[in-house]
Amino acid sequence: MDIVEMIRKPWPWYVAGPLIGLTVPALLLLGNKSFGISSSLRHICAAVIPANISFFKYDWKKGIWNLFFVAGITIGGFIASFFLANPDEIVIAEATQQTLSGFGLTSFSGLMPAEIFGSSSILSLKGVIFLALGGFLVGFGTRYAGGCTSGHAITGLATLQWPSLVATVSFFIGGLVCTHWILPFLLTLAL
């Protein structure tokens, strides 16, 4: 198997998981940095918004490495999507397809259902609910929790931070509640 073919395929958990986990000690050893993504939005706002808001008044240049990290993720995602996409069909379990079909979702050709995340949904009620309101709640929850899933679940747990354990457990409970109660309610409301 050549290296391009290997990159195009999903990596098994026992390879990808340790590689992600090794970013924590690598960042700590190389620069005493903590792995996380959500603080980059604050750095961007502090850099480009010349407002007199106390939350954005700090030396954002100390976190510039984080902006380069996020830029690298964005560029890597673009390259992966357009040049190294997995040619295999995405497999979604039959039971999941039946459940989602009951809510009017019938597009299973991509990672996200086109009925919700397609360009035709952006200006609709479901687009407002799932994209705008959902995005706002993710951003608010991230700041309220003091970090996102990568910051708490990868860095926080690896450095034995008690608040990160509470946040990670809360993320999983919130995900279960959303999957089994809130999402079905929103799908019946919006579709």
Side-chain angles (χ1 to χ4, degrees):
M1 176 184 296
D2 66 30
I3 192 161
V4 173
E5 193 63 26
M6 184 185 77
I7 291 173
R8 295 178 72 169
K9 301 284 183 183
W11 293 5
W13 64 267
Y14 52 84
V15 174
L19 285 175
I20 292 171
L22 287 173
T23 59
V24 175
L27 284 172
L28 288 173
L29 290 172
L30 294 175
N32 198 23
K33 310 289 185 196
S34 295
F35 179 76
I37 303 296
S38 60
S39 59
S40 58
L41 180 60
R42 183 181 183 209
H43 298 328
I44 292 171
C45 291
V48 299
I49 298 175
N52 194 18
I53 302 171
S54 62
F55 185 70
F56 297 128
K57 291 172 90 175
Y58 67 98
D59 186 12
W60 61 268
K61 292 176 184 170
K62 288 184 178 178
I64 199 164
W65 73 272
N66 195 276
L67 297 178
F68 282 108
F69 182 73
V70 170
I73 290 173
T74 304
I75 293 168
F78 178 82
I79 291 170
S81 295
F82 290 100
F83 302 110
L84 299 171
N86 183 0
D88 299 336
E89 183 178 337
I90 295 172
V91 178
I92 298 175
E94 187 66 32
T96 302
Q97 289 186 28
Q98 288 178 356
T99 301
L100 293 175
S101 294
F103 295 114
L105 300 177
T106 57
S107 172
F108 303 112
S109 60
L111 293 174
M112 300 180 291
E115 293 93 342
I116 296 175
F117 298 104
S119 59
S120 62
S121 301
I122 292 175
L123 299 177
S124 66
L125 174 63
K126 61 186 167 192
V128 170
I129 291 173
F130 286 100
L131 298 175
L133 181 62
F136 172 78
L137 290 175
V138 167
F140 175 79
T142 298
R143 293 315 321 155
Y144 186 72
C148 61
T149 50
S150 60
H152 279 298
I154 298 173
T155 300
L157 291 182
T159 55
L160 304 177
Q161 300 294 318
W162 172 249
S164 292
L165 177 62
V166 173
T168 303
V169 169
S170 299
F171 295 152
F172 278 95
I173 292 171
L176 289 170
V177 168
C178 187
T179 298
H180 294 287
W181 289 293
I182 297 174
L183 182 62
F185 172 74
L186 291 176
L187 288 174
T188 56
L189 184 72
L191 292 177

